[in-house]
Amino acid sequence: MNTPTPSTPSSSAPSPPTPSPSIPTTGSFHGFSDFRLVGRQVWYEQLSFWLNPLGAFFTLGFSVIFLVLLGAIAGNAKINSGYGAVKMTQYYLASFAAYAIMAACFTVLAQTLVNRREMGLLKRLRLSPVPTWSLLSAIFLSTIFVALLQVGILLAVGTLGFGDQLPAHGAAFILTIVVGMFSFTALGIGMSTLVPNADAAGPMISIVFFLLVAFSGLYFAITPGSTLANIAGYFPVRHLITAMLASFNLPPGANPWAWHDLLVMAIWGVAGVLVAVRRWRWAPRRG
């Protein structure tokens, strides 16, 4: 009896479908059209920020509330401490402008990255067909926009509410903001990689930040060259405050181009980038 011979599979297997060239792959760059993706994602980041009105209020209003409270307490009092007979409110305006940059680009950004990593959102970004660099850039740019908005509100409150002077040297002021944002954004990213889980993000980041801020001359003027000023000089917080004060002509006659402070901040920013590159993880940290 003849048995049927089993059919052999065809030697030519169908090739897997190739992805459409119009769909960007992770980490790729397809030209300037990708920048539209960044702008669109920044818009969505801002929508997410403003759809939480309570969080937006405290993010933007924390520095403003402190400026108003400390300014009301200081009144027309003046400081010496190596700054000359300058109004306390003028000192607070410059120092809290620096604080706004540090708070948004370091504290808020670091906590945001930790929370998104532990919720698995960063991993989803990595698997998204949209270029990863554009999604991360949108997070950073949205944070920078919030910082600039805080600085603008502080300048308006200081000048209209307390009669303070705007920065005496606009170019130096802008350069300080740019270097400060680069430095503290990089440090915020690096700090997020050191936090093990979302529960530890708030305490770890806040303690480090507020200790450095408190002893770097935010709430009270530190005499230049003093022991406290020298100790605080090892950290970028003090240098951003000092550079910001210089752009406001504090102390009077000071060189507005605080190159040493800008260099120290840039070095700290590079260190933050190196830490972030070495320790960055997309997936949640288990355990």
Side-chain angles (χ1 to χ4, degrees), residues 202-217:
M204 283 184 63
I205 297 170
S206 298
I207 289 175
V208 170
F209 177 67
F210 282 105
L211 281 178
L212 292 176
V213 163
F215 293 102
S216 295

Side-chain angles (χ1 to χ4, degrees), residues 14-15 98 153 179-180 210 214 243 255 277:
S15 58
I153 295 174
V179 176
F210 282 105
N255 182 9
V277 170

